[in-house]
Amino acid sequence: MKQLTLLQLALVWFMSLLLLTSCTEPVKNEQFSENKEKAKKLLSSLTLEDKIGEMTQLAIDVLCVGNPYNLQDPVTLDEEKLKKVLVDLRVGSILNVGGHAYSREEWKLIISTIQKYAIEEKPTGIPVLYGIDAVHGVNYTIGATLFPQQLGLASSWNPALAREMGAVTAYETRASGIPWDFSPVLDIGRDARWPRLWETFGEDVHLASKMGEELIIGYQGDNTANPHKVAACLKHFIGYSMPLTGKDRTPAWIPERHLQEYFVPTFQAAVDAGAKTVMICSGDVNGIPVHSNPLILKDLLRDQMGFQGVAVSDWEDIGLLVSRHRVAQDFKEAIGLAVNAGIDMAMVPMDTEFPILLKELVEEGVVPMDRIDEAALRVLTLKYELGLFENPFYPFEDYTEFNSEAHQSIAREAAQESVVMLKNEDDILPLTKSAKILVTGPTAHSLNVLNGGWTGVWQGNDPNYSTDGAKTILEAIQSKIGGENVTYLEGASYDEVEDIQQVVTASKRHDIAVVCVGEMTYTEIVGSIDEMRLPAAQFELVERISATGTPVVVVLVEGRPRVITEIEEASDAIVAAFLPGDFGGEAIADVLFGDVNPSGKLPITYPRFSNSLLTYDHKGTDLVKQDFSMNAFNPQWEFGHGLSYTEFIYSDLHLDKNKLSQNNDDKIQISVNVRNNGKRAGKEVIQLFISDMVASITPPVKRLRAFEKINLEVGESKTITFSISAKDLAFVGIENKWITEPGAFEIEISGLNDVFEID
Ligand code: BGC
């Protein structure tokens, strides 16, 4: 009986995938087809060893003098290891950085040596594909332009900035000799506890899809062989961001319908935008590690979504099928599972056994030859797509715009637009420049906390790799109002109070206390937490200062919305920055003193309590409260919240009709007028939410369906029009198919409402 049920379930899953498959058109791309033809020709001349080599990716550590787990400085390539890896094993791809960021000159030496060796010594002469995590600018090249991390970028609600950031990052990555960027993260950030939340574009599918699509266009342009462009890598496909525990790399349980509706769309938008590569999720979803799951790697990624590029494993994940997931007896079995499931390239990354064992598996008939051909063909096609055969590296001196004024001004603008003013009681902000200010708190004087992980070093915590001249919050405030007007006392570390009495006494002598709280840097597992509240020391710091009567302005610098309930109560104003990058200190000071009118909005729901972590698009039934009321959604701040120094008045919500058909060409035009009624120019994000009033799958209370960011001068007004079709309101229904059901839909734009019907 149990067996029969499982069989039935498998059948339903299979049928639903078949149905979904029929919706996807193959991507048409002439350039891609030409490159694929060239790759096919080359493939036909390769041996099994050559092909498997192309499927292998090792970390640069393995090529360096010394112990790969503990490299010496300066990092130096080892001739003997180059021979073993590139010639004997024919390895086709190298990644990462040995321990810490390099200067461009060092990158030049490393990349050109590797490429020269590959081209001259490797029997095939095929150049190496180098990949790097350039996730907020080329963060492993010293002196590069550093942008906000993705959550900060999403707070700008400005997709145009994402495109510009992508273009600058691509340029500076190529300027470092590297053509492949392991970015963006398209995991949907729907669990505030997850330590990689700051790497996402937040909780909303529409916002994240738009930002991701633009970032990819910025990275890749329309031709990745362009010396200013790189191949993007969508990660981590799929279901990585919502582990049940909230901790990194722990199992996720995501129903198929939910996976399709909330997790697939960001990746689908990126595939449709032409993304070249995808990195696979390290976790297990519904009991199966994604690295060994053909239902996800083939049926979903290839057949349903139409992805044609390279699928690379994540760091060490094939090995982890043995040691963590325990779905394979040994490394060899794990390799068979992963390659047969659909992994094209293995980020091994330190073990040179992979190509040897994979060859044995092919010879033993465990891995079919056509799977090897398919994978190697994809890798070779990518190498052609990147122009590596014509130009394995471009002249370094051609990149005169590296960290130029123009690049910096885009990063500065992104940082400024990423700052979110959450609270401003009695208009205490902006501060006057003549005020005497006490600056305190663990995030006040650190560039590391502004940049977060993947900066200089993996954990982003080594000040030796901070950019010269970039300002901390303290330094930015000092340069804005003069050092003589500013007193700095650290007050507390992340989790310990330091000489609190001194801070209390000092705050009485100042007009304002700017208390900078938040998180220290962390990347991946290291950032998993047991407690959502910030440590007690930070609460104590804010509360003790507030008790003196000196007005408190809190600056929050963090990678996820840590619970700050009493900090909020004890403060007069709060400004948040989700890892705004090198220009974050200046951007925060610009907002505090009114040189920039804040325009950031939350891309996540900010929770008030640790055990109430709902997203804004929860279900109606999520609202049931202990007192039997329906008021359980009570976040500290809602998704989309963010204040301005000016006032925007919304009026004239207008629908050009009140009935919409299911025909995709039929659109309803929803317009609204927005006027800047205040005393200064400002940017506003117009957010269109729509609620499906009745649906066969319990509908979320509302969903963001469109948004636009505009600039309005004083007294200026604009009419914004959104065009919505029935397809834009679809959800994944009972049969796991996208459907829009007839009935009433309610519109909400900034408190204005209307209703229309779908036939
Ligand atoms: C991370 C990826 C990253 C890779 C290479 C992994 O640990 O999960 O996001 O791209 O390392 O550095």
Side-chain angles (χ1 to χ4, degrees):
M1 177 62 192
K2 193 176 167 203
Q3 266 178 355
L4 192 68
T5 319
L6 284 175
L7 211 72
Q8 284 169 333
L9 280 175
L11 203 69
V12 170
W13 161 280
F14 183 67
M15 291 303 289
S16 57
L17 283 176
L18 275 186
L19 286 165
L20 287 158
T21 306
S22 55
C23 317
T24 319
E25 290 248 333
V27 179
K28 291 188 195 84
N29 181 342
E30 244 174 67
Q31 232 167 42
F32 178 78
S33 308
E34 277 171 26
N35 286 321
K36 195 169 168 183
E37 280 315 307
K38 289 187 204 160
K40 267 188 193 157
K41 215 163 146 204
L42 175 58
L43 187 78
S44 66
S45 69
L46 299 187
T47 64
L48 176 60
E49 286 87 340
D50 297 334
K51 293 173 189 174
I52 288 176
E54 290 302 316
M55 294 171 64
T56 310
Q57 185 183 57
L58 293 176
I60 187 174
D61 315 53
V62 177
L63 293 177
C64 293
V65 173
N67 174 359
Y69 290 94
N70 187 16
L71 291 181
Q72 57 206 22
D73 248 337
V75 160
T76 316
L77 291 169
D78 182 326
E79 177 96 29
E80 220 171 281
K81 291 180 181 170
L82 278 172
K83 181 182 169 301
K84 177 176 175 201
V85 167
L86 299 182
V87 180
D88 301 350
L89 299 174
R90 325 271 210 272
V91 169
S93 181
I94 305 292
L95 87 150
N96 216 354
V97 68
H100 58 76
Y102 305 139
S103 65
R104 280 190 70 216
E105 289 65 36
E106 285 170 305
W107 274 121
K108 174 178 176 174
L109 188 64
I110 289 167
I111 304 283
S112 54
T113 309
I114 292 176
Q115 291 300 31
K116 192 163 180 297
Y117 204 90
I119 292 158
E120 289 173 6
E121 306 295 332
K122 233 176 149 179
T124 58
I126 299 173
V128 161
L129 172 59
Y130 207 103
I132 197 92
D133 295 283
V135 303
H136 69 127
V138 56
N139 38 254
Y140 281 144
T141 302
I142 292 169
T145 311
L146 292 184
F147 288 80
Q149 298 280 359
Q150 274 186 221
L151 194 65
L153 191 64
S155 307
S156 76
W157 288 60
N158 189 344
L161 278 175
R163 186 184 288 211
E164 289 185 85
M165 162 173 151
V168 170
T169 304
Y171 181 100
E172 297 197 1
T173 304
R174 278 281 195 181
S176 310
I178 301 173
W180 187 18
D181 184 1
F182 304 134
S183 172
V185 168
L186 294 180
D187 302 308
I188 197 79
R190 295 178 73 76
D191 189 327
R193 300 167 300 169
W194 192 49
R196 303 192 73 169
L197 190 85
W198 53 269
E199 296 184 60
T200 76
F201 285 123
E203 75 189 36
D204 180 65
V205 174
H206 182 72
L207 175 62
S209 301
K210 289 280 165 233
M211 297 299 286
E213 200 178 313
E214 292 298 324
L215 189 53
I216 285 158
I217 295 172
Y219 283 151
Q220 298 193 161
D222 55 10
N223 176 11
T224 44
N226 179 329
H228 298 165
K229 294 294 168 195
V230 293
C233 186
L234 319 177
K235 58 192 198 183
H236 308 81
F237 192 79
I238 195 171
Y240 182 39
S241 52
M242 222 171 68
L244 203 58
T245 63
K247 294 178 180 169
D248 191 31
R249 288 182 162 86
T250 57
W253 296 91
I254 306 172
E256 170 65 7
R257 178 176 310 113
H258 199 72
L259 192 83
Q260 292 286 352
E261 189 166 335
Y262 289 89
F263 290 75
V264 170
T266 47
F267 286 98
Q268 185 69 66
V271 168
D272 295 345
K276 303 285 176 205
T277 74
V278 69
M279 191 184 292
I280 305 308
C281 158
S282 298
D284 91 50
V285 178
N286 302 336
I288 309 176
V290 182
H291 277 75
S292 62
N293 190 349
L295 293 176
I296 288 183
L297 299 186
K298 283 191 181 145
D299 302 12
L300 176 58
L301 180 63
R302 304 288 174 182
D303 301 343
Q304 179 188 317
M305 295 174 65
F307 179 66
Q308 301 190 34
V310 172
V312 61
S313 84
D314 199 349
W315 187 269
E316 225 175 19
D317 272 307
I318 298 182
L320 295 181
L321 292 177
V322 185
S323 55
R324 271 194 204 153
H325 296 291
R326 291 167 46 210
V327 296
Q329 205 68 37
D330 52 30
F331 191 33
K332 185 166 166 183
E333 189 188 348
I335 293 172
L337 284 178
V339 173
N340 281 336
I343 297 288
D344 299 318
M345 182 186 280
M347 188 187 287
V348 185
M350 298 292 203
D351 189 325
T352 48
E353 284 291 285
F354 173 84
I356 298 161
L357 296 174
L358 181 54
K359 184 170 173 242
E360 286 175 18
L361 287 164
V362 176
E363 286 163 353
E364 289 157 14
V366 177
V367 175
M369 195 57 212
D370 56 1
R371 178 73 267 277
I372 301 292
D373 282 338
E374 179 183 62
L377 180 64
R378 287 183 185 142
V379 175
L380 293 174
T381 306
L382 177 62
K383 289 188 175 183
Y384 280 108
E385 292 255 276
L386 287 166
L388 289 183
F389 290 92
E390 296 82 36
N391 288 301
F393 51 86
Y394 294 97
F396 272 52
E397 35 308 339
D398 285 359
Y399 293 87
T400 51
E401 284 297 298
F402 183 87
N403 197 25
S404 63
E405 273 294 319
H407 286 189
Q408 289 180 19
S409 80
I410 296 167
R412 183 178 293 112
E413 200 182 330
Q416 288 169 344
E417 291 206 20
S418 80
V419 176
V420 189
M421 186 162 71
L422 294 169
K423 175 178 179 181
N424 191 16
E425 222 164 72
D426 301 327
D427 290 336
I428 188 170
L429 295 178
L431 303 172
T432 52
K433 290 185 179 159
S434 56
K436 296 273 182 232
I437 297 200
L438 170 71
V439 177
T440 181
T443 59
H445 192 30
S446 161
L447 270 178
N448 296 84
V449 299
L450 293 173
N451 278 297
W454 302 116
T455 309
V457 296
W458 177 48
Q459 289 296 320
N461 57 356
D462 188 342
N464 288 318
Y465 298 98
S466 292
T467 312
D468 280 347
K471 293 191 178 87
T472 64
I473 300 170
L474 170 68
E475 289 164 347
I477 293 177
Q478 285 168 330
S479 63
K480 196 157 290 272
I481 63 169
E484 65 286 2
N485 291 321
V486 181
T487 305
Y488 170 62
L489 293 169
E490 192 179 1
S493 67
Y494 174 65
D495 51 9
E496 264 177 65
V497 176
E498 286 158 15
D499 204 351
I500 191 81
Q501 201 44 52
Q502 195 191 4
V503 180
V504 167
T505 311
S507 57
K508 290 182 190 153
R509 294 196 313 266
H510 290 79
D511 301 320
I512 300 279
V514 173
V515 190
C516 304
V517 299
E519 296 188 306
M520 302 298 103
T521 65
Y522 53 88
T523 309
E524 303 185 45
I525 290 176
V526 178
S528 290
I529 44 172
D530 293 321
E531 174 55 76
M532 268 305 270
R533 282 164 68 87
L534 278 181
Q538 301 196 36
F539 281 75
E540 189 180 343
L541 181 68
V542 176
E543 288 175 318
R544 292 287 300 275
I545 296 172
S546 169
T548 66
T550 301
V552 171
V553 174
V554 165
V555 176
L556 261 178
V557 182
E558 55 188 1
R560 69 196 133 190
R562 299 291 293 269
V563 169
I564 55 158
T565 324
E566 294 83 3
I567 290 182
E568 189 275 338
E569 285 160 10
S571 65
D572 297 276
I574 302 183
V575 159
F578 299 104
L579 313 184
D582 266 351
F583 294 93
E586 289 177 42
I588 289 165
D590 286 341
V591 166
L592 293 180
F593 292 94
D595 292 332
V596 163
N597 190 356
S599 65
K601 308 275 175 193
L602 288 176
I604 33 132
T605 304
Y606 205 110
R608 191 184 295 271
F609 303 110
S610 296
N611 204 24
S612 289
L613 302 176
L614 288 176
T615 54
Y616 85 94
D617 50 353
H618 51 269
K619 304 260 181 159
T621 40
D622 280 319
L623 300 179
V624 183
K625 208 177 160 185
Q626 329 45 329
D627 62 4
F628 299 99
S629 71
M630 295 297 279
N631 297 321
F633 186 57
N634 179 25
Q636 193 77 68
W637 294 286
E638 293 217 21
F639 168 82
H641 171 74
L643 304 170
S644 165
Y645 290 139
T646 189
E647 182 194 25
F648 298 105
I649 306 273
Y650 285 70
S651 65
D652 305 322
L653 177 63
H654 176 77
L655 277 55
D656 69 336
K657 57 186 172 192
N658 52 20
K659 278 215 184 297
L660 187 61
S661 75
Q662 293 271 359
N663 181 339
N664 281 338
D665 297 331
D666 192 15
K667 300 208 188 275
I668 188 164
Q669 310 291 332
I670 301 167
S671 58
V672 70
N673 188 274
V674 189
R675 180 182 147 82
N676 182 347
N677 211 40
K679 294 198 177 67
R680 53 181 299 175
K683 290 180 181 160
E684 172 69 333
V685 181
I686 294 96
Q687 304 163 351
L688 167 66
F689 292 97
I690 301 186
S691 315
D692 190 344
M693 301 313 286
V694 177
S696 55
I697 299 286
T698 54
V701 292
K702 60 180 182 179
R703 296 283 302 266
L704 180 80
R705 296 303 188 184
F707 66 91
E708 193 175 330
K709 190 166 194 176
I710 56 168
N711 185 59
L712 286 175
E713 298 301 322
V714 176
E716 192 185 4
S717 65
K718 279 186 188 156
T719 296
I720 306 302
T721 304
F722 298 112
S723 221
I724 296 288
S725 73
K727 198 172 165 217
D728 298 326
L729 305 170
F731 62 94
V732 178
I734 287 170
E735 287 168 15
N736 278 351
K737 271 174 63 183
W738 285 94
I739 47 165
T740 310
E741 288 176 344
F745 290 79
E746 193 176 291
I747 292 173
E748 182 209 323
I749 301 181
S750 190
L752 302 177
N753 300 89
D754 209 333
V755 182
F756 68 93
E757 299 248 335
I758 293 189
D759 287 337

